[in-house]
Amino acid sequence: MALPKFVTASGVAISFAPNAAGIWLIGREDAQSGIHPDVDLTPYDTEQTVSRRHAQISLMNGQYMLTSLTTTNWTK
C-alpha cells in the first residue's frame, strides 16, 4: 500500500515517512514544547491556523482515516 501524501492549498505535496504504527501526527513544530509532528506544516502555515497537534492520519484495516485533534481551527 502506498504511503499517504498531504497536499497543501498551494499544491505542494508532502510525503509521509514510513511508520510501523501507521499513525502520523500533523501540525506545527514547537521545539520549546517538544512537539515534532510527523507532517510539519510550519513552513506552509504563514497565518498560523494549524495547531501544534492539529490532526492525525491513521491506517486502519487498509484505509487511511483523518481525525481532527483540535476544535480551535478545525480541519478541512
Side-chain angles (χ1 to χ4, degrees):
M1 176 172 270
L3 291 172
K5 288 185 182 180
F6 185 89
V7 180
T8 67
S10 63
V12 175
I14 303 168
S15 297
F16 287 40
N19 181 329
I23 299 173
W24 295 266
L25 176 64
I26 299 169
R28 285 187 297 114
E29 186 170 52
D30 184 357
Q32 289 181 344
S33 300
I35 299 171
H36 304 283
D38 301 299
V39 180
D40 181 14
L41 297 180
T42 304
Y44 311 101
D45 186 31
T46 57
E47 297 179 23
Q48 293 191 338
T49 58
V50 175
S51 301
R52 289 172 183 84
R53 290 186 177 104
H54 195 87
Q56 79 177 23
I57 291 183
S58 307
L59 179 58
M60 299 175 64
N61 300 322
Q63 294 186 27
Y64 290 106
M65 174 176 275
L66 174 69
T67 304
S68 180
L69 301 176
T70 181
T71 58
T72 304
N73 294 321
W74 301 98
T75 301
K76 298 178 186 177

